[in-house]
Amino acid sequence: MGTLTTHVLDTAKGCPAANMQIELWAIDGKTHQKMLLKTLTTNGDGRTDQPLLSDGDLKMGIYELVFGVGDYFAQSSDAQTMPFLNRVPIQFGIGDRNAHYHVPLLTSPWAYSTYRGS
């Protein structure tokens, strides 16, 4: 069975982004309505303790991860009063429920990037 995982790296500090909140949403392909599946927090390695989805929970469809980047950087001593990035959404599709999907986020207070990892 397939899995969905993520990993968040703080590129400003050059370390994993610990204690960042992540929401996982399922999006209906026809109505575009979103359903919150779970809310998790990254551990000291910038990962979640368990896969976001695994076994029979991973289904074909459209998903969205929303990363709490603004709140994460607000915890640091050099936080700005109004963050440039706040909630960073990444929408992606699952086309093979037996595959492994890894959606990493590399972020700073001013920029982010992502890709399909391994």
Side-chain angles (χ1 to χ4, degrees), residues 45-117:
D45 194 34
R47 301 174 187 273
T48 57
D49 290 331
Q50 301 295 324
L52 300 169
L53 294 173
S54 62
D55 302 322
D57 292 334
L58 185 70
K59 297 177 176 35
M60 290 176 44
I62 302 168
Y63 293 88
E64 182 175 80
L65 288 171
V66 179
F67 296 87
V69 171
D71 288 343
Y72 168 79
F73 284 110
Q75 298 171 25
S76 69
S77 60
D78 57 344
Q80 300 174 358
T81 52
M82 177 58 68
F84 179 69
L85 295 175
N86 189 25
R87 293 169 47 86
V88 172
I90 299 173
Q91 273 191 28
F92 57 95
I94 300 287
D96 180 357
R97 56 183 301 238
N98 294 311
H100 174 67
Y101 289 83
H102 183 67
V103 183
L105 180 72
L106 290 75
T107 190
S108 76
W110 310 279
Y112 68 91
S113 65
T114 190
Y115 56 93
R116 181 176 175 188

